[in-house]
Amino acid sequence: MGLFKTAALEGLYVIEDFITETEEQELIQAIDSRSWCGNGPLPTFTDFIVKRFKQQKIIDFEDEPNMCIINEYEAGQGIMPHTDAATIFGPIILSLSLLSSCLMKFTHSNNSETQFLTVLPPRSLLIMTKSSRYDYKHSISKDITEWFDGGENGEKQEIIRSRRVSLTFRTVRSSGMDVDISS
Ligand SMILES: O=C(O)CCC(=O)C(=O)O
Ligand SMILES: [Fe+2]
């Protein structure tokens, strides 16, 4: 398992093979077989992931995520640049990628020319903290084919996008819990 710090962006990490292929398949089956929208405790199929966060000391016990959002991207879909709301969510954002690789772009909020790209391979865990979490916007393009030339051996890596599912774990801050986001 390789933990690497991506492109010298403070607080950004990607852990490859955070889950196995079997676990990935089981998660997809669980996600595809039900409607998982709603409030309440995290779905039980995510229990082993949260346990692993603790085992690997990725989170402190008091920072245990209390929210998981599942995003699905078909080829040709992405997510616009944004910073996860600092007033609502805690300091650590964790995103587990399933099925397809993609590139995530980090653009500095005060200087759009300062950008970093990182590959999110399937089964990898993205850890976004500190500067990467607060000072940058993150986005995923709609491109079906992407190129990444920040690899270790300097070779360009081609990424062909297909269906990607991500599980993003966050801690809703207790003060944020009082915010009525339905109106
Ligand atoms: O799909 C991802 O990995 C990121 C999702 C995301 O940035 C969000 O839901 O705020
Ligand atoms: Fe986000």
Side-chain angles (χ1 to χ4, degrees):
M1 186 189 291
L3 172 68
F4 59 89
K5 203 168 176 173
T6 308
L9 183 45
E10 191 205 6
L12 184 68
Y13 305 88
V14 177
I15 302 178
E16 291 188 320
D17 297 312
F18 188 73
I19 60 167
T20 66
E21 286 185 30
T22 308
E23 289 167 339
E24 179 185 39
Q25 286 310 316
E26 286 167 358
L27 281 171
I28 290 294
Q29 274 168 22
I31 290 165
D32 285 348
S33 68
R34 74 186 80 185
S35 134
W36 28 256
C37 188
N39 292 319
L42 298 192
T44 51
F45 60 78
T46 64
D47 287 353
F48 79 96
I49 306 170
V50 176
K51 202 168 149 201
R52 207 163 291 173
F53 293 158
K54 292 182 196 165
Q55 275 168 349
Q56 299 195 7
K57 305 218 173 2
I58 287 165
I59 50 166
D60 286 335
F61 284 84
E62 56 265 34
D63 290 333
E64 191 168 317
N66 53 17
M67 183 194 201
C68 173
I69 93 156
I70 302 177
N71 285 324
E72 179 177 33
Y73 307 79
E74 295 294 349
Q77 292 183 324
I79 190 164
M80 297 291 285
H82 67 280
T83 301
D84 293 18
T87 49
I88 299 176
F89 303 114
I92 305 175
I93 312 285
L94 302 165
S95 187
L96 183 66
S97 293
L98 307 179
L99 300 179
S100 172
S101 286
C102 71
L103 283 181
M104 184 172 269
K105 186 192 273 187
F106 289 83
T107 306
H108 198 283
S109 303
N110 298 331
N111 179 1
S112 59
E113 281 170 24
T114 305
Q115 295 187 341
F116 294 91
L117 281 174
T118 189
V119 181
L120 302 181
R123 300 176 296 283
S124 70
L125 180 72
L126 171 79
I127 307 172
M128 229 189 293
T129 63
K130 299 185 180 162
S131 188
S132 70
R133 187 251 181 276
Y134 291 112
D135 303 332
Y136 286 78
K137 294 180 183 198
H138 51 279
S139 58
I140 297 170
S141 85
K142 296 178 175 178
D143 298 346
I144 304 228
T145 307
E146 297 182 303
W147 290 94
F148 181 65
D149 59 6
E152 282 164 26
N153 49 14
E155 276 174 31
K156 279 205 173 204
Q157 182 184 338
E158 185 182 31
I159 296 171
I160 312 278
R161 299 262 299 271
S162 54
R163 180 184 183 218
R164 172 175 180 270
V165 173
S166 67
L167 283 74
T168 301
F169 294 86
R170 299 185 277 216
T171 308
V172 178
R173 297 158 67 103
S174 44
S175 56
M177 294 233 192
D178 301 325
V179 175
D180 180 7
I181 52 170
S182 62
S183 54

